[in-house]
Amino acid sequence: MNLISFVIASYIAIALMFTVHAVIIIGLGANIKTYFQKVWPVLTFAFVTRSSAATIPLTIRAQIEELNVPAPIANIAASFGATIGQNGCAGIYPAMLAVMVAPTMGVDIDLNFIISLLLIIAIGSFGIAGVGGGATNAALVVFSAMGFPVTIVALLISIEPLIDMARTALNVNGAITTGMITTRILGD
């Protein structure tokens, strides 16, 4: 039951981040329905493959052909998004695990804990592989840096693929959103 609750909580967190992306896209003046119609094939491919890296060519194509993002920006956004800008795998997942485990380890969730967690996640997210299971590596980095037992991460391996599918789609959507933001800031 606890694992199912964690899956549900993860999907809620992912949905909230998709909402943040949608608000940003609306703020850029794009029609959100049209946007998701254009990127839906890319997001479903990311969902099924669980690999941001495998989705790079589709991410680039969608940005250039569907969203009018210049090719250099699309290439950089997709490439960085598969390794650095992983808000699902390198951000949400390890943060949720750390917050869930901290009380059982006698660690208070105060401002110092949150700031150190955010810093560790931000630094640890650099170079996390954009392949299935990359979030497990991100969680291992965060847990070891925070002094938590890394064996706890192993308990979630059985449900990790269920969550990883949505996290990967979120990562790819973040890369596409970044390409749109950069295009708006820099222009053509």
Side-chain angles (χ1 to χ4, degrees):
M1 290 307 290
N2 288 339
L3 291 178
I4 291 170
S5 298
F6 186 76
V7 171
I8 292 168
S10 295
Y11 269 86
I12 291 169
I14 291 165
L16 289 172
M17 197 62 212
F18 264 111
T19 303
V20 169
H21 289 175
V23 168
I24 292 169
I25 292 164
I26 291 168
L28 294 172
N31 181 309
I32 197 66
K33 182 180 176 189
T34 304
Y35 167 81
F36 278 111
Q37 286 173 340
K38 290 178 179 180
V39 301
W40 189 253
V42 180
L43 298 180
T44 55
F45 184 81
F47 185 87
V48 172
T49 62
R50 297 176 43 221
S51 172
S52 301
T55 312
I56 289 174
L58 294 175
T59 305
I60 293 169
R61 186 202 58 75
Q63 288 183 86
I64 295 169
E65 295 176 10
E66 301 291 338
L67 301 171
N68 300 318
V69 173
I73 294 173
N75 281 301
I76 290 172
S79 299
F80 278 171
T83 56
I84 294 175
Q86 296 188 11
N87 36 9
C89 292
I92 292 172
Y93 185 69
M96 286 181 67
L97 288 179
V99 168
M100 182 177 74
V101 169
T104 64
M105 301 299 299
V107 176
D108 292 331
I109 300 176
D110 57 8
L111 186 60
N112 288 333
F113 173 82
I114 293 170
I115 290 170
S116 63
L117 179 62
L118 290 174
L119 287 172
I120 291 168
I121 287 172
I123 293 167
S125 71
F126 294 131
I128 294 295
V131 296
T136 300
N137 295 326
L140 291 171
V141 168
V142 170
F143 269 48
S144 61
M146 306 243 1
F148 295 160
V150 294
T151 53
I152 294 173
V153 176
L155 296 173
L156 297 169
I157 296 268
S158 61
I159 60 161
E160 208 270 339
L162 295 172
I163 307 166
D164 194 37
M165 294 183 295
R167 286 191 315 244
T168 303
L170 177 64
N171 296 340
V172 170
N173 193 62
I176 295 170
T177 303
T178 301
M180 292 178 66
I181 293 168
T182 306
T183 299
R184 174 57 68 94
I185 293 170
L186 298 179
D188 290 334

